[in-house]
Amino acid sequence: MNLLALYCTHQTTSLAVRERLAFATSERLVTGYAAMKQRFPETEIVILSTCNRVELYVARRSDAEPMTPPMLAQFLSEFHDLPLDDFVGELRAATGSEAVRHLFEVISSLDSMVLGEPQIVNQVREAYRVAEAQGACGPIIHALFQGAIRTSSRVRTETRLAEGKVSIASVAVGDFAKSIFDHFDDKLVLVIGAGEMAEETLRYLKDEGVREIVVVNRSPERAQRVAAEWGGRAVPWSELNTWLGQADVIVSTTGADKPIVDASLFKQVRAAAAGRTAFILDLGAPRDFDTNVGDLNDVFLYDIDSLKKTCEANRKARVREIDKARKLIDEEAAKFMAEYYHRASGEVVSRLMQDWHAVSKDELDRLFHKLPDLNEKDREQIERTVERIVNKLLHPPLEALKVEAREGTPHGLINALKRLFRI
Amino acid sequence: MLKTSVFCFLASYVLAFACELGQFRWRHALARIVSLLMAVAGLIAHTFYLLYRSNQSDLPPLLSSAHDWLLVVAWLAVLVYLFVSLAEGELGIGLVMWPVVLLLVVSAQYVTAAPSHVLDYHRNWKLLHATLLMLGTTFVLLGFVLSLLYLWQHRRLKQRQTQSRAIKLPNLELIERLNRWTILAAVPLQTLGIASGFGLSIFSKGGELAMTWTDPVVIGGAVTCLLMGVLFVWLLIQKRSPGRQVALLTAWACGFLLVTLIGLQMLTAAVGMRSIHGNASAPAAVATEGQAP
């Protein structure tokens, strides 16, 4: 199989190099396809460029000159205007079945920074879609990427690789907040501080349907920025206690060096909301809420450490699924290769049969021309006999080809048949 | 008609419960399917058993005996379990529901199973009385199960435990809402059921249905119904009450009602005490001996 994958990923290459090799914008990607097509005509190409990887998949017909890693590395160097020595040692390459297996592992998220994360499937699908839109796909790439999508779907349904949340914010919302509240569209979310993790949590809460967000921060500008970004409103720090008393979900990420809320204060501010459940996500380090707040009735307090345990447990559970996923990938890769070789040998088979039957037809026409007295029945008998002879003669080489295709690459035999019969 | 025994469906229910428990260690779709199949098989056998008993006594199962009445409640509980399980496959309702069902089925063996033909009089009124009580008790039972689920989920969340992959619990807000509704439905049904019982007794004063104030089942039923009524009023007047407190109260009240109802039936059957719900006849475990095919 004339397929090459050249890649650098978060596992092999530093971010400093990856970001210089990335096709970061859609314009850059389109230019990249145009440049590759110009430089490597008759080549099928897919460029997969994400924050964690830059990968090139190139394929050619079996009889074309194979692509090599140095050819692609040179292209990357020229396209990105980077000295080859700056990155060539960090590139990895895989060919044929290894390249197939690599793509199947990538799309199944075995190669991702967060094992089992779902975004990679969409990223690969998008890369394939763009390649198709750029006219860079051919039969090999189509078959390869469709096989990859099928494999990822199998891995996700037949293993638990994607089960359980593994980030603090997703565990907080998915495993705990959703176990407390049935719906979020009527819940008031109070964000204290404006850290990155608070924003990540807001993203998950927004996905669950949260409408009302109040941001309180010592810096009003930052509060305004976060509130504007998430469709909430910023309120002054002096109103903190008022909103603590009303909120259903509290996300706190201040940089305070000691807790800003203790049990007595919280009980006091919640007096008017007795019986109302509060979910507190304390993402501050040091913590913003005293641990005894969690002992109050109908208060569920979670800090980073308590959520980390769940993240770690989920991560371990995913790791336990790796072998099962690899087994599926091996199975799908083997199936893909067998189908590919079957198709490749199929071409030779059909051309061989066409040629031999054409020869036999020519000879029969000549014979019937010399024997004009033959009746229709005799002609039919002769035609059938000759056809049987051709089929019997073709059977042994075709059977050998079929057997070899089942076991792997039948390049040797295909080439031999091509040379022997001038196909 | 197909003749089945209590053992047939009890064994199916035990297996279904074992499969539910097994999913803690071995989570597999097959275990889930086996559990559901066992529940369906048990329910079918259970239905045939009730129909057979009804045919034998020529009375609806609700009026036949305390044994049949308890089995109808268990039958309804299994039906609710199947409905919830098919709608929300991953909910761990079975872990709480099955012990209650098994308790009802086993208890039914120790209450009177002899058909009461006293019921030929005022049959429709009696049917109404038994139906209201049966529906009320089913809601009480659901309230009990929901309260336990609430307390289980609450404990998990307070202790910050990871959600089990095998069995998911409903969220607190949903359980709280359902719990409130079951109590609000159970108490009027129970009250009407008891009131219709009193009414029947008054109308047949001096007859076979005459109630005595020392009837333990009547006294126990009235006291627990009063307790439930207090809970009902409290729920109505409280705009917001801590969910755990509601769950605890419901669990205690419903649990007490179930234990009282079943316990008193068993007691009257065991000591031969006079009660209009099961007077002085042998418990089902003895009475139905040898009936199994």
Side-chain angles (χ1 to χ4, degrees), chain A residues 9 13 21 32 78 134 154 172 195 239 260 289 291 312 340 346 348 356 397 401-402:
Chain A
T9 71
T13 314
L21 288 173
E78 288 170 22
Q134 294 303 312
R154 269 196 78 189
E239 290 180 19
I260 57 170
F289 282 73
T291 47
E312 202 45 47
Y340 173 79
V348 174
W356 281 40
L401 194 60
K402 207 187 274 176

PDB file of all heavy atoms in Angstrom, chain A residues 9 13 21 32 78 134 154 172 195 239 260 289 291 312 340 346 348 356 397 401-402:
ATOM      1  N   THR A   9       3.335  14.959  17.336  1.00  0.00           N
ATOM      2  CA  THR A   9       2.222  15.058  18.284  1.00  0.00           C
ATOM      3  C   THR A   9       2.726  15.574  19.627  1.00  0.00           C
ATOM      4  O   THR A   9       3.930  15.738  19.819  1.00  0.00           O
ATOM      5  CB  THR A   9       1.559  13.691  18.510  1.00  0.00           C
ATOM      6  OG1 THR A   9       2.463  12.887  19.275  1.00  0.00           O
ATOM      7  CG2 THR A   9       1.241  12.981  17.209  1.00  0.00           C
ATOM      8  N   THR A  13       6.691  15.893  20.315  1.00  0.00           N
ATOM      9  CA  THR A  13       7.216  17.202  19.934  1.00  0.00           C
ATOM     10  C   THR A  13       6.738  18.281  20.896  1.00  0.00           C
ATOM     11  O   THR A  13       5.593  18.251  21.366  1.00  0.00           O
ATOM     12  CB  THR A  13       6.700  17.547  18.510  1.00  0.00           C
ATOM     13  OG1 THR A  13       6.877  16.402  17.691  1.00  0.00           O
ATOM     14  CG2 THR A  13       7.441  18.710  17.911  1.00  0.00           C
ATOM     15  N   LEU A  21       4.692  24.396  13.030  1.00  0.00           N
ATOM     16  CA  LEU A  21       4.351  23.503  11.904  1.00  0.00           C
ATOM     17  C   LEU A  21       2.843  23.470  11.619  1.00  0.00           C
ATOM     18  O   LEU A  21       2.407  22.889  10.621  1.00  0.00           O
ATOM     19  CB  LEU A  21       4.818  22.081  12.211  1.00  0.00           C
ATOM     20  CG  LEU A  21       6.330  21.831  12.176  1.00  0.00           C
ATOM     21  CD1 LEU A  21       6.633  20.423  12.659  1.00  0.00           C
ATOM     22  CD2 LEU A  21       6.889  22.036  10.770  1.00  0.00           C
ATOM     23  N   GLY A  32      -2.031  25.390   2.053  1.00  0.00           N
ATOM     24  CA  GLY A  32      -1.232  24.178   2.223  1.00  0.00           C
ATOM     25  C   GLY A  32      -1.647  23.095   1.238  1.00  0.00           C
ATOM     26  O   GLY A  32      -0.802  22.456   0.602  1.00  0.00           O
ATOM     27  N   GLU A  78       9.772  24.251   3.604  1.00  0.00           N
ATOM     28  CA  GLU A  78       9.615  25.356   2.653  1.00  0.00           C
ATOM     29  C   GLU A  78       8.297  26.091   2.874  1.00  0.00           C
ATOM     30  O   GLU A  78       8.244  27.317   2.829  1.00  0.00           O
ATOM     31  CB  GLU A  78       9.703  24.820   1.221  1.00  0.00           C
ATOM     32  CG  GLU A  78      11.132  24.419   0.865  1.00  0.00           C
ATOM     33  CD  GLU A  78      11.204  23.668  -0.456  1.00  0.00           C
ATOM     34  OE1 GLU A  78      10.267  23.805  -1.278  1.00  0.00           O
ATOM     35  OE2 GLU A  78      12.187  22.922  -0.652  1.00  0.00           O
ATOM     36  N   GLN A 134     -11.227  20.320  -0.930  1.00  0.00           N
ATOM     37  CA  GLN A 134     -10.078  20.817  -1.702  1.00  0.00           C
ATOM     38  C   GLN A 134      -9.726  19.881  -2.862  1.00  0.00           C
ATOM     39  O   GLN A 134      -8.723  20.095  -3.547  1.00  0.00           O
ATOM     40  CB  GLN A 134      -8.856  20.965  -0.786  1.00  0.00           C
ATOM     41  CG  GLN A 134      -9.013  22.032   0.289  1.00  0.00           C
ATOM     42  CD  GLN A 134      -9.330  23.396  -0.294  1.00  0.00           C
ATOM     43  OE1 GLN A 134      -8.676  23.845  -1.233  1.00  0.00           O
ATOM     44  NE2 GLN A 134     -10.365  24.041   0.230  1.00  0.00           N
ATOM     45  N   ARG A 154     -16.755   2.070  16.730  1.00  0.00           N
ATOM     46  CA  ARG A 154     -16.719   0.763  17.419  1.00  0.00           C
ATOM     47  C   ARG A 154     -16.037   0.874  18.777  1.00  0.00           C
ATOM     48  O   ARG A 154     -16.501   0.322  19.769  1.00  0.00           O
ATOM     49  CB  ARG A 154     -15.949  -0.258  16.577  1.00  0.00           C
ATOM     50  CG  ARG A 154     -16.830  -1.040  15.632  1.00  0.00           C
ATOM     51  CD  ARG A 154     -16.103  -2.269  15.124  1.00  0.00           C
ATOM     52  NE  ARG A 154     -16.086  -3.355  16.100  1.00  0.00           N
ATOM     53  CZ  ARG A 154     -15.378  -4.460  15.979  1.00  0.00           C
ATOM     54  NH1 ARG A 154     -14.622  -4.640  14.922  1.00  0.00           N
ATOM     55  NH2 ARG A 154     -15.419  -5.397  16.896  1.00  0.00           N
ATOM     56  N   ALA A 172     -17.283  17.969  38.103  1.00  0.00           N
ATOM     57  CA  ALA A 172     -18.097  18.767  39.021  1.00  0.00           C
ATOM     58  C   ALA A 172     -19.524  18.897  38.499  1.00  0.00           C
ATOM     59  O   ALA A 172     -20.491  18.704  39.242  1.00  0.00           O
ATOM     60  CB  ALA A 172     -17.471  20.148  39.194  1.00  0.00           C
ATOM     61  N   GLY A 195     -11.322  33.024  37.449  1.00  0.00           N
ATOM     62  CA  GLY A 195     -10.223  32.177  36.973  1.00  0.00           C
ATOM     63  C   GLY A 195     -10.619  31.349  35.750  1.00  0.00           C
ATOM     64  O   GLY A 195     -11.793  31.292  35.379  1.00  0.00           O
ATOM     65  N   GLU A 239     -21.564  43.161  47.230  1.00  0.00           N
ATOM     66  CA  GLU A 239     -22.854  42.446  47.208  1.00  0.00           C
ATOM     67  C   GLU A 239     -22.694  40.927  47.323  1.00  0.00           C
ATOM     68  O   GLU A 239     -23.655  40.180  47.143  1.00  0.00           O
ATOM     69  CB  GLU A 239     -23.611  42.760  45.899  1.00  0.00           C
ATOM     70  CG  GLU A 239     -24.122  44.181  45.836  1.00  0.00           C
ATOM     71  CD  GLU A 239     -24.874  44.456  44.539  1.00  0.00           C
ATOM     72  OE1 GLU A 239     -25.294  43.484  43.876  1.00  0.00           O
ATOM     73  OE2 GLU A 239     -25.014  45.630  44.197  1.00  0.00           O
ATOM     74  N   ILE A 260     -12.829  32.750  52.477  1.00  0.00           N
ATOM     75  CA  ILE A 260     -13.590  33.998  52.550  1.00  0.00           C
ATOM     76  C   ILE A 260     -15.000  33.768  53.104  1.00  0.00           C
ATOM     77  O   ILE A 260     -15.699  34.708  53.428  1.00  0.00           O
ATOM     78  CB  ILE A 260     -13.674  34.684  51.165  1.00  0.00           C
ATOM     79  CG1 ILE A 260     -14.287  33.741  50.121  1.00  0.00           C
ATOM     80  CG2 ILE A 260     -12.325  35.190  50.712  1.00  0.00           C
ATOM     81  CD1 ILE A 260     -14.634  34.412  48.800  1.00  0.00           C
ATOM     82  N   PHE A 289     -13.848  28.432  50.648  1.00  0.00           N
ATOM     83  CA  PHE A 289     -14.906  28.099  51.605  1.00  0.00           C
ATOM     84  C   PHE A 289     -14.326  27.207  52.694  1.00  0.00           C
ATOM     85  O   PHE A 289     -13.629  26.230  52.390  1.00  0.00           O
ATOM     86  CB  PHE A 289     -16.067  27.360  50.906  1.00  0.00           C
ATOM     87  CG  PHE A 289     -16.970  28.268  50.136  1.00  0.00           C
ATOM     88  CD1 PHE A 289     -16.550  28.826  48.939  1.00  0.00           C
ATOM     89  CD2 PHE A 289     -18.233  28.581  50.597  1.00  0.00           C
ATOM     90  CE1 PHE A 289     -17.371  29.682  48.213  1.00  0.00           C
ATOM     91  CE2 PHE A 289     -19.069  29.424  49.899  1.00  0.00           C
ATOM     92  CZ  PHE A 289     -18.630  29.983  48.698  1.00  0.00           C
ATOM     93  N   THR A 291     -14.119  24.275  55.218  1.00  0.00           N
ATOM     94  CA  THR A 291     -14.651  22.922  54.991  1.00  0.00           C
ATOM     95  C   THR A 291     -15.949  22.653  55.771  1.00  0.00           C
ATOM     96  O   THR A 291     -16.775  21.859  55.346  1.00  0.00           O
ATOM     97  CB  THR A 291     -13.633  21.839  55.386  1.00  0.00           C
ATOM     98  OG1 THR A 291     -13.110  22.178  56.650  1.00  0.00           O
ATOM     99  CG2 THR A 291     -12.512  21.732  54.375  1.00  0.00           C
ATOM    100  N   GLU A 312      -9.277  10.962  38.769  1.00  0.00           N
ATOM    101  CA  GLU A 312      -8.244   9.932  38.729  1.00  0.00           C
ATOM    102  C   GLU A 312      -8.869   8.541  38.562  1.00  0.00           C
ATOM    103  O   GLU A 312      -8.380   7.728  37.778  1.00  0.00           O
ATOM    104  CB  GLU A 312      -7.426  10.015  40.026  1.00  0.00           C
ATOM    105  CG  GLU A 312      -6.039   9.417  39.947  1.00  0.00           C
ATOM    106  CD  GLU A 312      -5.268   9.801  38.694  1.00  0.00           C
ATOM    107  OE1 GLU A 312      -5.238  10.994  38.331  1.00  0.00           O
ATOM    108  OE2 GLU A 312      -4.730   8.884  38.057  1.00  0.00           O
ATOM    109  N   TYR A 340      -8.427  -3.762   1.238  1.00  0.00           N
ATOM    110  CA  TYR A 340      -7.633  -2.966   0.294  1.00  0.00           C
ATOM    111  C   TYR A 340      -6.913  -3.882  -0.688  1.00  0.00           C
ATOM    112  O   TYR A 340      -6.936  -3.670  -1.905  1.00  0.00           O
ATOM    113  CB  TYR A 340      -6.618  -2.105   1.071  1.00  0.00           C
ATOM    114  CG  TYR A 340      -5.668  -1.385   0.156  1.00  0.00           C
ATOM    115  CD1 TYR A 340      -6.071  -0.224  -0.509  1.00  0.00           C
ATOM    116  CD2 TYR A 340      -4.388  -1.879  -0.076  1.00  0.00           C
ATOM    117  CE1 TYR A 340      -5.213   0.423  -1.381  1.00  0.00           C
ATOM    118  CE2 TYR A 340      -3.526  -1.238  -0.943  1.00  0.00           C
ATOM    119  CZ  TYR A 340      -3.939  -0.088  -1.601  1.00  0.00           C
ATOM    120  OH  TYR A 340      -3.096   0.538  -2.460  1.00  0.00           O
ATOM    121  N   GLY A 346      -8.115  -7.369  -7.184  1.00  0.00           N
ATOM    122  CA  GLY A 346      -9.322  -7.434  -8.008  1.00  0.00           C
ATOM    123  C   GLY A 346      -9.132  -6.777  -9.364  1.00  0.00           C
ATOM    124  O   GLY A 346      -9.596  -7.278 -10.392  1.00  0.00           O
ATOM    125  N   VAL A 348      -6.309  -6.540 -11.025  1.00  0.00           N
ATOM    126  CA  VAL A 348      -5.484  -7.433 -11.844  1.00  0.00           C
ATOM    127  C   VAL A 348      -6.331  -8.588 -12.362  1.00  0.00           C
ATOM    128  O   VAL A 348      -6.258  -8.955 -13.546  1.00  0.00           O
ATOM    129  CB  VAL A 348      -4.290  -7.970 -11.011  1.00  0.00           C
ATOM    130  CG1 VAL A 348      -3.497  -9.003 -11.785  1.00  0.00           C
ATOM    131  CG2 VAL A 348      -3.408  -6.819 -10.590  1.00  0.00           C
ATOM    132  N   TRP A 356      -7.802 -12.280 -21.539  1.00  0.00           N
ATOM    133  CA  TRP A 356      -7.855 -13.671 -22.014  1.00  0.00           C
ATOM    134  C   TRP A 356      -9.158 -13.953 -22.774  1.00  0.00           C
ATOM    135  O   TRP A 356      -9.153 -14.627 -23.788  1.00  0.00           O
ATOM    136  CB  TRP A 356      -7.710 -14.641 -20.827  1.00  0.00           C
ATOM    137  CG  TRP A 356      -6.279 -14.798 -20.385  1.00  0.00           C
ATOM    138  CD1 TRP A 356      -5.344 -13.825 -20.286  1.00  0.00           C
ATOM    139  CD2 TRP A 356      -5.618 -16.021 -20.018  1.00  0.00           C
ATOM    140  NE1 TRP A 356      -4.156 -14.317 -19.859  1.00  0.00           N
ATOM    141  CE2 TRP A 356      -4.290 -15.672 -19.680  1.00  0.00           C
ATOM    142  CE3 TRP A 356      -6.028 -17.348 -19.933  1.00  0.00           C
ATOM    143  CZ2 TRP A 356      -3.366 -16.628 -19.275  1.00  0.00           C
ATOM    144  CZ3 TRP A 356      -5.101 -18.287 -19.510  1.00  0.00           C
ATOM    145  CH2 TRP A 356      -3.782 -17.926 -19.202  1.00  0.00           C
ATOM    146  N   PRO A 397      -3.632 -19.326 -11.123  1.00  0.00           N
ATOM    147  CA  PRO A 397      -3.008 -18.050 -10.707  1.00  0.00           C
ATOM    148  C   PRO A 397      -3.951 -17.156  -9.905  1.00  0.00           C
ATOM    149  O   PRO A 397      -3.524 -16.496  -8.944  1.00  0.00           O
ATOM    150  CB  PRO A 397      -2.624 -17.378 -12.032  1.00  0.00           C
ATOM    151  CG  PRO A 397      -3.422 -18.042 -13.085  1.00  0.00           C
ATOM    152  CD  PRO A 397      -3.666 -19.430 -12.605  1.00  0.00           C
ATOM    153  N   LEU A 401      -3.507 -15.763  -6.039  1.00  0.00           N
ATOM    154  CA  LEU A 401      -3.596 -14.328  -5.741  1.00  0.00           C
ATOM    155  C   LEU A 401      -4.565 -14.076  -4.576  1.00  0.00           C
ATOM    156  O   LEU A 401      -4.294 -13.292  -3.665  1.00  0.00           O
ATOM    157  CB  LEU A 401      -4.082 -13.596  -7.001  1.00  0.00           C
ATOM    158  CG  LEU A 401      -3.940 -12.085  -7.026  1.00  0.00           C
ATOM    159  CD1 LEU A 401      -2.484 -11.677  -6.879  1.00  0.00           C
ATOM    160  CD2 LEU A 401      -4.490 -11.533  -8.330  1.00  0.00           C
ATOM    161  N   LYS A 402      -5.675 -14.798  -4.642  1.00  0.00           N
ATOM    162  CA  LYS A 402      -6.703 -14.633  -3.599  1.00  0.00           C
ATOM    163  C   LYS A 402      -6.139 -15.048  -2.232  1.00  0.00           C
ATOM    164  O   LYS A 402      -6.313 -14.353  -1.246  1.00  0.00           O
ATOM    165  CB  LYS A 402      -7.913 -15.507  -3.957  1.00  0.00           C
ATOM    166  CG  LYS A 402      -9.209 -14.964  -3.395  1.00  0.00           C
ATOM    167  CD  LYS A 402     -10.344 -15.910  -3.604  1.00  0.00           C
ATOM    168  CE  LYS A 402     -11.033 -15.763  -4.933  1.00  0.00           C
ATOM    169  NZ  LYS A 402     -12.080 -16.771  -5.139  1.00  0.00           N
TER     170      LYS A 402
END
